[in-house]
């Protein structure tokens, strides 16, 4: 399906101009976006749009190679349990079902597409600093819009319009998340547990989950958001070497391995290799 499909109006209505904060509206034919002050932003041929503040250098994001590996690994369904747990968390709780979901650092839009598949009335936004990821995310789901943006800057999203924010293995911006959430809205955040991918960390020389990661997450979100529970997602994956190579290539590990080292290490793994998926899915409620 073409990435230049029509934009869902409900998702466009969530966006704010990165220059003046005014509401953005779609140009004829969904060729781009414009605010009432006349600031306009062209839509890329691949379907996404870039919304960065004036003079803001695009932050580094995933490379084309990392994105290709992420597409391959996720499409094979290895993290299906995680996507399902994210959708469970998004839909959990009392109150009406979510109408607007924002995936920050949403990569290829894979998890958001899974969430929207379980939330038939909802629209979504994927924000990511990587244009390669945004190109893929533009075609991820007909009810989603893909935007190149920086999670550490003011988000190009209007105040209090989003019911759920998703952050999966990506930077979290507590104040901006709280600003864009509606009262009672929730952040669903996935973080790796210490035993995540344990079987391949040592043999492949991968980065370990840093001690104290959960505590630092909490410190970054308080006092803007209040913790409301965590669900551990645990599964034993059986990955062949092609899948392990993609898993390594889609993450930060790729930058730390010498050429050839990965091939040698992969050759020493059993085929298939048992690999632990260990991710904690936390829910946080907007304070106040
Ligand atoms: C580990 S990947 C996770 C992608 C996606 N959430 C998933 O689980 O498939 C981290 C993502 O965060 C993006 N990213 C890194 N820094 C960012 C920033 N400052 N603003 C927005 N996205 C960022 C990367 O480009 C990458 O797509």
């Amino acid at each position: 399906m073409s990435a230049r499909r029509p934009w869902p109006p409900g998702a466009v209505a969530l966006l704010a101009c990165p220059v003046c904060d005014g509401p953005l509206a779609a140009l004829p034919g969904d060729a781009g976006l414009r605010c009432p002050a006349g600031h306009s932003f062209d839509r890329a041929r691949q379907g996404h749009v870039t919304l960065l503040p004036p003079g803001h250098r695009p932050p580094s994001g995933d490379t084309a190679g990392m994105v290709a590996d992420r597409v391959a690994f996720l499409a094979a369904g290895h993290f299906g349990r995680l996507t399902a747990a994210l959708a469970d968390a998004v839909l959990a709780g009392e109150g009406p079902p979510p109408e607007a979901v924002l995936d920050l650092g949403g990569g290829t839009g894979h998890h958001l597409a899974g969430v929207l598949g379980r939330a038939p009335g909802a629209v979504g936004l994927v924000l990511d600093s990587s244009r390669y990821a945004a190109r893929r995310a533009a075609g991820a789901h007909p009810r989603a819009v893909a935007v190149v943006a920086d999670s550490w800057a003011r988000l190009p999203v209007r105040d209090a319009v989003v019911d759920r924010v998703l952050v999966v293995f990506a930077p979290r911006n507590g104040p901006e998340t709280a600003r864009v959430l509606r009262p009672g809205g929730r952040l669903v955040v996935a973080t790796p547990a210490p035993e995540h991918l344990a079987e391949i960390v040592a043999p492949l020389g991968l980065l370990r989950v840093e001690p104290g990661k959960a505590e630092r997450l909490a410190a970054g979100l308080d006092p803007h958001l209040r913790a409301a529970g965590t669900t551990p997602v645990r599964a034993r994956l059986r990955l062949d070497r092609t899948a392990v190579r993609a898993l390594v290539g889609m993450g930060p590990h790729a930058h730390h391995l010498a050429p050839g080292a990965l091939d040698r290490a992969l050759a020493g793994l059993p085929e298939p290799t048992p690999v632990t998926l260990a991710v904690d899915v936390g829910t946080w409620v907007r304070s106040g």
Side-chain angles (χ1 to χ4, degrees):
M1 186 180 293
S2 164
R4 284 291 296 255
R5 56 181 148 212
W7 268 331
V12 170
L14 306 172
L15 292 168
C17 175
V19 180
C20 69
D21 254 353
L24 286 171
L27 293 167
D30 288 343
L33 298 165
R34 186 162 51 210
C35 73
H39 304 118
S40 63
F41 307 88
D42 290 338
R43 187 179 188 184
R45 185 169 45 84
Q46 298 90 346
H48 61 283
V49 62
T50 296
L51 298 177
L52 289 164
H56 194 91
R57 275 187 56 212
S60 65
D62 282 7
T63 62
M66 291 167 79
V67 169
D69 279 335
R70 181 169 297 280
V71 168
F73 185 84
L74 294 176
H78 301 301
F79 278 4
R81 292 275 291 272
L82 173 58
T83 307
L86 294 168
D88 289 344
V90 163
L91 298 173
E94 299 181 354
E99 294 175 359
V101 182
L102 165 65
D103 192 353
L104 275 184
T108 61
H110 176 91
H111 296 303
L112 179 68
V115 168
L116 292 178
R118 298 256 312 269
V123 294
L125 294 176
V126 182
L127 265 57
D128 201 284
S129 59
S130 161
R131 66 180 186 276
Y132 306 105
R135 287 174 186 169
R136 300 305 300 228
H141 196 280
R143 279 182 274 123
V145 169
V147 178
V148 173
D150 182 359
S151 292
W152 294 124
R154 184 174 175 87
L155 302 177
V157 177
R158 298 172 68 181
D159 293 353
V161 290
V162 170
D163 298 299
R164 303 286 184 273
V165 174
L166 269 182
V167 181
V168 183
F169 307 144
R172 309 120 189 157
N173 182 334
E176 277 297 284
T177 296
R179 178 182 67 77
V180 302
L181 277 172
R182 287 188 181 136
R186 299 200 295 265
L187 165 69
V188 172
V189 54
T191 45
E195 68 269 36
H196 187 51
L197 312 181
E199 296 84 350
I200 57 172
V201 164
L204 300 187
L206 305 184
L207 302 175
R208 293 172 195 279
V209 175
E210 301 152 33
K213 196 171 174 100
E215 291 72 17
R216 281 198 303 285
L217 165 68
L221 297 179
D222 283 336
H224 317 282
L225 299 143
R226 175 172 48 79
T230 300
T231 301
V233 182
R234 301 288 185 270
R236 190 100 146 134
L237 312 176
R238 289 171 67 78
L239 302 180
D240 63 21
R241 288 185 193 134
T242 304
V244 174
R245 182 186 291 280
L247 177 59
V248 173
M250 75 188 206
H253 323 282
H255 304 297
H256 298 267
L257 293 171
L262 179 59
D263 289 332
R264 288 191 293 279
L266 281 172
L269 290 179
E271 180 81 327
T273 299
V275 177
T276 299
L277 166 74
V279 178
D280 294 325
V281 174
T283 296
W284 297 71
V285 182
R286 198 190 96 158
S287 307

